[in-house]
Amino acid sequence: MLGTGLVCCPVAGPISDALGRVKSLSALMMALIAAGAVVLFILPNATGFVVFSALSGVAVGANASFMQTISVQALPDARDSARDLGFLNLSNTLGGAGASCTAAAMIGHGYRIMFLTEAVIVLCAAAVTMTIRKMR
């Protein structure tokens, strides 16, 4: 995931700039993350893990670039950008902590169910991203 992510992150920004479609590309990458999670749910073996890692690496790497663009462009007021970015960083940190808590709660239902849960949560995030009105 790290290898594909490192390649895709710097490539994705210029692509979204050329297309002028950062929001829809971000949602597409989130759908790709969900697809990778579903693959691992269906194929809980080494092959499934390789496919999951490739899909997720590409999507997470590209989406890192898209989400930074969305974050900066969707700020409500440039005068309060430091405060707003601080809040954004806090929400990102809490999201990571929340993922650990969700996984801990789900593990009792089986290891594979965590990947299906991941897919649902990421698709919900894609839907929320598409509601941002300030950009295309």
Side-chain angles (χ1 to χ4, degrees):
M1 285 179 65
L2 177 63
T4 54
L6 286 174
V7 169
C8 291
C9 190
V11 171
I15 291 172
S16 72
D17 289 343
L19 296 175
R21 294 281 189 189
V22 69
K23 190 171 69 170
S24 56
L25 288 171
S26 179
L28 178 65
M29 290 303 105
M30 289 183 212
L32 195 59
I33 293 168
V38 170
V39 165
L40 200 49
F41 175 77
I42 294 169
L43 293 172
N45 56 31
T47 301
F49 192 75
V50 169
V51 172
F52 163 78
S53 296
L55 292 176
S56 294
V58 167
V60 169
N63 204 40
S65 178
F66 300 148
M67 290 309 293
Q68 290 298 318
T69 301
I70 290 170
S71 298
V72 171
Q73 289 182 3
L75 291 174
D77 187 351
R79 293 174 296 193
D80 296 325
S81 61
R83 181 202 65 202
D84 294 340
L85 286 172
F87 179 74
L88 178 69
N89 287 330
L90 178 62
S91 67
N92 286 335
T93 302
L94 292 174
S100 299
C101 294
T102 301
M106 297 303 299
I107 196 74
H109 300 287
Y111 183 72
R112 291 174 52 202
I113 197 71
M114 288 189 301
F115 298 107
L116 202 54
T117 303
E118 173 191 2
V120 169
I121 291 170
V122 172
L123 290 174
C124 289
V128 169
T129 299
M130 293 305 293
T131 66
I132 299 170
R133 288 185 240 155
K134 201 169 184 177
M135 61 187 347
R136 294 184 343 150

